[in-house]
Amino acid sequence: MGRLFGTDGIRGVANRHPMTAEMAMKVGRAITGISRREGHTPRILIGRDTRLSGYLLENAIVAGVLSMGGDALLAGTMPTPGVSYLTRSMRADAGIVISASHNPFQDNGIKIFSRDGFKLPDGREDEIEELVGRENLDGLHPEPSVIGKAYRYEDARGRYIVFLKSSFPSDLSLEGMKIVLDCSNGATYRIAPETFFELGASVVSLFTGPDGRNINRDCGSQHPETLAAEVVKRGAQVGFAFDGDGDRVIAVDEQGGVLTGDQMMTVCAASLKKQGRLKKDLVVSTVMSNIGFRHAIRELGIATVTADVGDRSVLKEMLEHGAILGGEDSGHLIFLEHHTTGDGIISALQLLKAMKAEGRPLSELAKVMKIYPQKLVNVDVEAKPPIESLPGVARAIGEVEAALGESGRVLVRYSGTQQMCRVMVEAPTEEQTEACCRK
């Protein structure tokens, strides 16, 4: 068996290896097995997004947990960051999210949080892989008298909403603001509208009718076009588009302009620094961040640390360097003062807080960063040999880098979750960017 865990848990096509009921049961067994200790009943909290296959995988994981003498706490439909919070709040031994994030409905995945609300470190994942790979786990099973139980966590949504609202200052209100939300027919479809409504906003909700197959379909953070049009049509001050599991968000200003994650992070960093609340005057970004982000942050007098792609890499650098703000251009932002992982709703609330503090519309605040033209092409691949081992590719990269110099950049990397290679180029003009990327 090859490496089970990718850059963000286990992921694949539902009902195909590795996302089968059999594998999900083994994962449930393994997580419970490493959580067992004398006199202690492991408690594993489980949440999922709205995919059709979520029911299949949830029941399989529950069976695995119970068979190892653990108790399963079922949160139902819950954003990934909600599972992280509830795991910590309930003092569960681990939290499991069944979701493939922004991927289409036929994909699914399994993400795991430790009891402190952080994603599992590599060493812990290795332990799980070792147990999953065993031919026979029967010797680890407890006696029939201590088989576990499953409990439906009825107030999970309400508790998470209270937590979300606590990240927004109690002396501020969203009263008088019209906000449009695109919930991508995903895990935020009830929680996001309720949260913003309870904070006083007039809420217009889009894509809140999940049927198991329409998650992320022409909506959400990957497709903000409908949201942008609706914000202008409704005369709203701002709009937010979440992805399927609610850990990332893309914002739309009052004029229908779409803000990237880099722009949102720059606006929030600028506001925090102005208030003297940006710890160490430092933010963490990734290699995928736009050159314009680095220029804007430098002009603000803020330092940056560059991480590899993925929220785990961002969080690792944040913890090592003492940063409270970090994120990805995709809209996956981490506000470490409020949460241990990326949370789309919290990110939206922090942007609203910056808007309130500055007293200016989002379109004006977004001007703090100029976006350099960027082209990203995804190339399907059958294998992933090291990029530097491919002479033609390496030569093309070198030639483009030499031509661009300091005025642009090239990044060629494999996806950590899909069988594709991502080719990204940034340059001063659209024509140059397109030509370099195609080369």
Side-chain angles (χ1 to χ4, degrees):
M1 182 179 71
R3 173 74 177 168
L4 189 61
F5 285 89
T7 55
D8 196 16
I10 307 166
R11 193 173 294 185
V13 177
N15 227 20
R16 301 288 185 270
H17 180 80
M19 296 313 305
T20 61
E22 294 80 5
M23 181 62 74
M25 180 181 289
K26 288 182 180 180
V27 171
R29 287 176 173 175
I31 293 169
T32 310
I34 65 174
S35 302
R36 278 167 52 180
R37 60 182 185 271
E38 189 67 31
H40 172 67
T41 300
R43 299 197 305 162
I44 312 298
L45 189 133
I46 304 169
R48 53 178 168 77
D49 65 20
T50 57
R51 294 165 207 270
L52 185 64
S53 57
Y55 300 98
L56 165 74
L57 298 171
E58 179 185 58
N59 282 288
I61 291 172
V62 169
V65 171
L66 305 191
S67 73
M68 292 294 283
D71 288 344
L73 309 177
L74 305 180
T77 301
M78 180 62 57
T80 288
V83 172
S84 169
Y85 162 70
L86 293 169
T87 299
R88 187 173 77 248
S89 174
M90 289 289 292
R91 301 185 181 183
D93 293 274
I96 299 176
V97 183
I98 304 166
S99 173
S101 189
H102 57 280
N103 284 21
F105 92 92
Q106 59 265 29
D107 291 350
N108 217 326
I110 297 173
K111 305 179 189 181
I112 306 169
F113 289 98
S114 57
R115 63 183 305 132
D116 58 6
F118 291 99
K119 289 182 179 177
L120 288 185
D122 292 341
R124 209 61 167 161
E125 289 183 350
D126 291 341
E127 288 184 58
I128 294 171
E129 288 223 13
E130 192 277 326
L131 285 175
V132 168
R134 288 191 188 182
E135 290 295 325
N136 190 349
L137 288 175
D138 289 343
L140 297 177
H141 289 173
E143 295 298 317
S145 61
V146 291
I147 287 175
K149 300 176 182 177
Y151 300 89
R152 182 65 60 183
Y153 191 1
E154 299 293 350
D155 65 341
R157 188 172 83 253
R159 290 184 62 164
Y160 178 46
I161 289 174
V162 170
F163 166 71
L164 292 170
K165 292 191 298 181
S166 71
S167 73
F168 194 73
S170 57
D171 60 337
L172 295 181
S173 170
L174 298 180
E175 189 173 358
M177 290 193 74
K178 181 178 287 186
I179 299 174
V180 184
L181 303 177
D182 175 349
C183 299
S184 68
N185 294 314
T188 62
Y189 82 100
R190 293 182 66 183
I191 287 172
E194 290 179 21
T195 300
F196 289 91
F197 173 78
E198 290 185 22
L199 287 170
S202 172
V203 177
V204 177
S205 301
L206 309 176
F207 303 107
T208 55
D211 62 10
R213 297 179 177 86
N214 60 2
I215 185 172
N216 299 318
R217 185 198 296 162
D218 300 324
C219 60
S221 61
Q222 302 292 99
H223 304 279
E225 300 84 9
T226 301
L227 172 66
E230 199 68 21
V231 167
V232 175
K233 176 184 174 182
R234 300 273 187 161
Q237 281 78 35
V238 67
F240 296 107
F242 305 99
D243 68 338
D245 72 331
D247 62 359
R248 67 172 72 178
V249 65
I250 291 296
V252 171
D253 67 32
E254 79 285 355
Q255 297 177 0
V258 178
L259 276 70
T260 66
D262 284 342
Q263 287 176 291
M264 293 172 62
M265 188 157 57
T266 304
V267 171
C268 290
S271 182
L272 287 169
K273 179 176 171 58
K274 190 173 182 180
Q275 298 169 41
R277 295 184 51 244
L278 185 63
K279 189 177 178 182
K280 296 188 175 181
D281 284 342
L282 175 69
V283 296
V284 176
S285 62
T286 75
V287 293
M288 293 297 287
S289 284
N290 191 273
I291 289 181
F293 170 78
R294 292 174 174 79
H295 290 335
I297 288 294
R298 185 167 59 243
E299 290 177 9
L300 289 168
I302 299 172
T304 60
V305 171
T306 303
D308 290 333
V309 173
D311 64 299
R312 292 207 320 173
S313 299
V314 172
L315 179 61
K316 177 176 178 291
E317 296 294 340
M318 291 176 69
L319 293 172
E320 286 186 7
H321 294 275
I324 61 168
L325 174 60
E328 302 183 88
D329 191 43
S330 61
H332 199 146
L333 309 182
I334 301 175
F335 291 83
L336 206 50
E337 285 185 316
H338 301 293
H339 208 341
T340 56
T341 191
D343 190 312
I345 298 176
I346 284 181
S347 297
L349 291 173
Q350 301 318 298
L351 188 64
L352 287 169
K353 184 169 71 173
M355 290 173 62
K356 288 281 185 179
E358 297 299 317
R360 291 188 289 155
L362 187 55
S363 61
E364 288 189 19
L365 295 178
K367 292 177 181 177
V368 70
M369 175 186 155
K370 174 189 173 183
I371 298 179
Y372 275 55
Q374 183 184 88
K375 180 74 174 181
L376 176 64
V377 176
N378 293 321
V379 183
D380 292 332
V381 298
E382 294 183 358
K384 298 180 179 180
I387 298 294
E388 61 273 14
S389 71
L390 305 172
V393 177
R395 183 169 57 253
I397 292 172
E399 291 173 356
V400 171
E401 286 181 333
L404 291 175
E406 294 295 318
S407 65
R409 69 187 183 112
V410 181
L411 181 64
V412 181
R413 55 174 289 274
Y414 294 115
S415 167
T417 58
Q418 295 170 288
Q419 283 296 112
M420 59 178 56
C421 181
R422 306 195 193 282
V423 180
M424 189 273 287
V425 172
E426 290 171 349
T429 67
E430 294 283 358
E431 294 78 11
Q432 193 176 5
T433 303
E434 177 74 25
C436 290
C437 193
R438 289 298 168 190
K439 180 171 183 175

